[in-house]
Amino acid sequence: MREIYRIPVSAKGIVLEGGSVWLRKNEDDEWELPGGKVERNEQPMQTVVREVEEELGFKTEVVAIIYSWVHIVNDSIDESEGVL
């Protein structure tokens, strides 16, 4: 099976409710936006909808893609070359 991406692709959602933004604590006890890695045959917008439901427990819809960049995680095995 061939790799789809040269680096991992992650999609995060900015979920607004009443003027506030939803955050969640990750496994490192850090606050972050809900989201995760894009699965095979999945578009980033689908990833955000799936991850928000898994992590926050409710359905949402994506309005727009706001920004994208490559983030380098130096001490990671699979993300040392970056995560889009």
Side-chain angles (χ1 to χ4, degrees), residues 54-71:
E54 289 175 5
E55 295 175 1
L56 302 180
F58 55 83
K59 293 188 182 291
T60 189
E61 66 181 61
V62 176
V63 176
I65 294 176
I66 296 174
Y67 189 71
S68 66
W69 71 94
V70 174
H71 174 70

Side-chain angles (χ1 to χ4, degrees), residues 31-75:
W31 290 103
E32 69 178 0
L33 295 167
K37 290 187 180 167
V38 176
E39 294 180 354
R40 183 177 290 280
N41 298 321
E42 187 175 59
Q43 295 296 315
M45 294 172 103
Q46 293 171 304
T47 301
V48 170
V49 170
R50 176 180 53 77
E51 290 284 350
V52 165
E53 186 169 6
E54 289 175 5
E55 295 175 1
L56 302 180
F58 55 83
K59 293 188 182 291
T60 189
E61 66 181 61
V62 176
V63 176
I65 294 176
I66 296 174
Y67 189 71
S68 66
W69 71 94
V70 174
H71 174 70
I72 304 297
V73 184
N74 292 322
D75 59 350

Side-chain angles (χ1 to χ4, degrees), residues 14-22:
I14 300 172
V15 181
L16 301 172
E17 181 179 38
S20 296
V21 175
W22 277 81

